[in-house]
Amino acid sequence: MFEKRITVNVRAADELGRHRIVRQLRTLPGVGVVRGDEDAAVDILVMGRQDDAAPDELRRLARAGRAPLVVVAEELGETELMAVAEYGVRSVLWGDRLTPGRLSRAVHQAAGCCPRVPMSAALV
């Protein structure tokens, strides 16, 4: 189905939230999860409700420009949503509506396997 595996690095302050995303990613065909500073084709940042460090991590990842960025958020206010768009995040997924299909679509789009869509359409 896929010629090359898409490697994904999941970053989160909350280890339980990180493991929830990793568990879903491992069920997806053509997607592999890497840890730490290993090079990945896509970075996923999990932003929790009480995650005060998430905006700084988002800024750091966006400025590093190593890999396209997907955000999984529990909730985002208008200010955070504007920052997400400003930093070039490819997709925003809402944590309470996260499905393997939506996660797969966001990862493949960020990796360049799908045509790019405007940010407003990428908010799934």
Side-chain angles (χ1 to χ4, degrees), residues 89-93 106 109 117-124:
V89 171
R90 299 292 174 95
S91 295
V92 175
L93 302 168
Q109 179 192 1
V117 294
M119 177 55 121
S120 59
L123 293 171
V124 210

Side-chain angles (χ1 to χ4, degrees), residues 9-89:
N9 192 349
V10 180
R11 299 167 185 276
D14 173 29
E15 277 300 307
L16 289 176
R18 182 187 177 285
H19 285 292
R20 182 174 63 105
I21 303 300
V22 168
R23 188 177 62 238
Q24 286 194 25
L25 286 168
R26 288 192 173 137
T27 66
L28 303 178
V31 175
V33 179
V34 297
R35 276 199 141 249
D37 291 332
E38 292 182 54
D39 285 336
V42 176
D43 281 329
I44 295 179
L45 177 62
V46 181
M47 297 177 73
R49 282 186 176 88
Q50 305 299 323
D51 191 357
D52 295 332
D56 293 332
E57 181 71 4
L58 172 64
R59 196 173 305 113
R60 188 185 69 73
L61 288 171
R63 287 184 179 156
R66 294 184 330 161
L69 190 56
V70 172
V71 169
V72 176
E74 295 301 319
E75 100 184 8
L76 288 178
E78 286 182 30
T79 307
E80 292 91 357
L81 192 56
M82 292 304 291
V84 162
E86 179 183 335
Y87 289 131
V89 171

